[in-house]
Amino acid sequence: MKKYYQFWLNIGAWLLLMTGTAQGQNPFITGQFTADPSARVFGDRVYVYPSHDILATQGKGRVGWFCMEDYHVFSSANLTDWTDHGMIVTQNKVPWVRPDSYSMWAPDCIYRNGKYYFYFPTAAKDTTAYGRGFAIGVAIADKPTGPFVPESTPINKVHGIDPNVFIDKDGQAYLYWSQGNIYGAKLKENMTELDGEVKVLGELPGKGLKEGPYLFERKGIYYLTYPHVENKTERLEYAISDNPLGPFKVTGVIMDESATGCWTNHQSVIEFKDQWYLFYHHNDYSPAFDKARSIRVDSLSFNADGTIRKVKPTLRGVGLTDAGAAIQVDRYSSISDKDLSVAFLDTLQKFNGWKVILEAPGAWVQYNGVDFGTKQYKHIKLKVRSSTGGTVQVRLDQADGPVVATVKLAAGNNWQEVKTRVSPVRQGVHGLVISLQDGKAVELDWVRFE
């Protein structure tokens, strides 16, 4: 099975590079595996710097383990349409990196004084000079998409993984990283050297793995977020302080452990256009192998006292979907309690995505946040397949909302695109509810308005 993963990973990555775009919903990057998303707002766009999972083969990484050799950067102005700006750093073009390490783990990026500083961890080839284990390097660019030029040596006195950088309101920059504990230290103005002692942030849980620090500030509260293994898998937790280097008080859980057993998670938190968001990862495209992950985003909010409300992961994600685009209803907002399932379109080509299967009359799927704008659409098109045929009804907003289309499906074993007229739809943003009226085992890939 692994050879199929690798083959379709290569095909999917090629297709993504050819189109340069990826669609929203969760996971919001398609065509390649991504993990450990570090999200940043630069100007009027969100830029995400994830690690890039690939599947190890003999002689290329450790088979059955995490394997990463480069980084891409993605950006979006609306959190729906994402552009892949291509590879920005690769292990074999960094002077100090061990060329067979395949350990380009969770990165981060920050802007200062006209430059973009990209921080990344990996194994150094000169263990005498830089020590055993992981070091953390910096690559610098004039634009958030690069080209990034790596420094010739890693940051002195920093050994570990998962770098995170924070610049306080007074202009002081801080670097955080993990290696058993979570560490923090001030950075010099040049952003490539420590400015003072390294501090162990020792107020965090003493038992269980903790890693992946990401610090942000809101209304005078400093939030240190991190994955922590309380039981068997990582959950996202946070601690708060009135100082970037603590002391911190463990405060709560941002996201519970994966319900399907994905062992890792890794987060970043940003505010964009007056809304807060949590970026994280899951193994959506690789449910049988949790070392090949995919990045997600969901909304995040706060209580009146500043504590974070727990985020429940969704498939719908965030952002609006244009009514004229292919609306992937398998990334649903809500579904009926029974007689509905979601499956891969092709189990050997998982980057092709998923389908919804309406298995009996009464089954329904809801997809919120469809933007009809000011255009008057006349038709709806559905990509469907049903060996028995049936009737599908499309309603606006909710299950008892106005009917905009009733679609008759012919019986057949092949996928078909069925087009029918729609009733006038009010301008603006609506939800869609698609339900099966008669028939069974109707498979639905996408719908779009024309």
Side-chain angles (χ1 to χ4, degrees):
M1 184 62 70
K2 287 183 179 179
K3 64 181 181 181
Y4 291 112
Y5 272 127
Q6 186 63 57
F7 175 75
W8 289 111
L9 169 64
N10 294 338
I11 294 296
W14 177 82
L15 289 171
L16 187 63
L17 286 172
M18 291 298 290
T19 61
T21 60
Q23 292 298 311
Q25 302 115 38
N26 283 330
F28 64 89
I29 299 302
T30 60
Q32 63 180 270
F33 295 118
T34 49
D36 311 318
S38 179
R40 294 293 180 184
V41 179
F42 297 138
D44 59 357
R45 295 181 71 85
V46 172
Y47 292 81
V48 177
Y49 300 84
S51 51
H52 180 195
D53 288 337
I54 60 176
L55 298 175
T57 57
Q58 292 296 331
K60 187 174 183 178
R62 174 181 162 190
V63 175
W65 191 241
F66 300 105
C67 184
M68 303 107 146
E69 67 177 327
D70 59 31
Y71 298 100
H72 286 231
V73 57
F74 304 85
S75 77
S76 175
N78 57 15
L79 301 181
T80 297
D81 304 300
W82 290 89
T83 298
D84 180 357
H85 298 280
M87 184 180 67
I88 56 172
V89 174
T90 181
Q91 66 179 18
N92 292 331
K93 292 188 178 180
V94 180
W96 57 268
V97 172
R98 197 180 77 212
D100 62 345
S101 58
Y102 296 97
S103 55
M104 308 290 274
W105 289 13
D108 195 9
C109 189
I110 202 79
Y111 171 81
R112 181 160 206 166
N113 296 333
K115 300 288 184 180
Y116 295 86
Y117 296 85
F118 180 75
Y119 298 80
F120 58 95
T122 190
K125 57 187 174 183
D126 187 346
T127 57
T128 301
Y130 308 123
R132 299 183 64 84
F134 281 73
I136 291 175
V138 187
I140 305 173
D142 294 325
K143 298 179 180 179
T145 57
F148 282 88
V149 179
E151 294 287 279
S152 60
T153 60
I155 302 174
N156 190 32
K157 298 181 180 179
V158 176
H159 303 283
I161 61 173
D162 302 341
N164 164 241
V165 181
F166 171 75
I167 301 177
D168 206 358
K169 295 183 292 293
D170 62 3
Q172 178 62 59
Y174 297 84
L175 177 67
Y176 303 86
W177 66 97
S178 58
Q179 188 68 54
N181 292 303
I182 291 179
Y183 302 87
K186 291 182 179 180
L187 280 170
K188 291 183 178 180
E189 184 78 13
N190 62 18
M191 302 298 285
T192 62
E193 296 177 276
L194 297 188
D195 187 11
E197 295 297 318
V198 174
K199 183 174 181 180
V200 178
L201 306 183
E203 306 86 17
L204 307 179
K207 294 183 178 180
L209 174 69
K210 52 189 179 293
E211 56 181 357
Y214 186 94
L215 187 131
F216 69 96
E217 182 270 340
R218 176 183 178 269
K219 295 184 177 180
I221 299 175
Y222 297 90
Y223 295 80
L224 177 63
T225 66
Y226 53 92
H228 173 226
V229 180
E230 175 70 17
N231 296 303
K232 294 182 178 180
T233 60
E234 290 186 338
R235 70 183 188 188
L236 301 181
E237 302 178 6
Y238 73 103
I240 62 174
S241 178
D242 60 2
N243 187 287
L245 291 176
F248 288 92
K249 178 184 176 182
V250 174
T251 307
V253 175
I254 304 174
M255 179 175 285
D256 288 326
E257 296 91 338
S258 163
T260 59
C262 182
W263 188 79
T264 66
N265 204 347
H266 190 105
Q267 79 300 331
S268 59
V269 177
I270 62 167
E271 184 182 21
F272 181 61
K273 297 182 178 179
D274 299 319
Q275 172 63 51
W276 288 86
Y277 296 97
L278 173 71
F279 288 76
Y280 61 102
H281 70 230
H282 191 60
N283 60 325
D284 295 90
Y285 286 117
S286 179
F289 182 60
D290 64 358
K291 310 301 184 292
R293 300 153 298 177
S294 300
I295 55 178
R296 293 175 164 202
V297 57
D298 275 302
S299 296
L300 179 143
S301 60
F302 299 84
N303 296 307
D305 63 358
T307 55
I308 298 175
R309 293 174 182 154
K310 189 181 291 186
V311 177
K312 183 178 180 181
T314 75
L315 296 177
R316 175 60 184 88
V318 300
L320 300 178
T321 301
D322 190 279
I327 303 166
Q328 304 290 343
V329 292
D330 49 79
R331 309 292 88 189
Y332 55 79
S333 301
S334 185
I335 56 175
S336 54
D337 292 334
K338 58 181 181 179
D339 301 326
L340 184 143
S341 60
V342 175
F344 284 107
L345 288 165
D346 187 329
T347 57
L348 297 182
Q349 302 179 49
K350 291 186 171 64
F351 286 130
N352 284 355
W354 297 266
K355 60 187 176 183
V356 165
I357 306 171
L358 305 170
E359 298 168 348
W364 56 267
V365 58
Q366 183 178 23
Y367 186 102
N368 293 336
V370 178
D371 188 2
F372 286 82
T374 60
K375 186 175 180 179
Q376 289 296 324
Y377 292 95
K378 296 181 179 181
H379 297 91
I380 188 172
K381 182 180 286 186
L382 292 77
K383 186 176 181 181
V384 293
R385 181 170 66 181
S386 176
S387 60
T388 62
T391 303
V392 170
Q393 193 174 75
V394 183
R395 291 179 177 265
L396 216 57
D397 295 320
Q398 53 196 17
D400 59 353
V403 176
V404 295
T406 300
V407 186
K408 297 288 186 179
L409 310 177
N413 294 320
N414 297 320
W415 286 99
Q416 54 182 314
E417 295 184 9
V418 180
K419 182 176 178 179
T420 190
R421 292 192 66 85
V422 295
S423 301
V425 177
R426 299 189 310 275
Q427 296 180 353
V429 177
H430 299 283
L432 297 178
V433 177
I434 302 171
S435 61
L436 184 61
Q437 300 300 297
D438 60 64
K440 59 182 180 179
V442 171
E443 301 176 37
L444 176 60
D445 185 2
W446 49 257
V447 304
R448 70 154 53 96
F449 290 82
E450 298 179 345

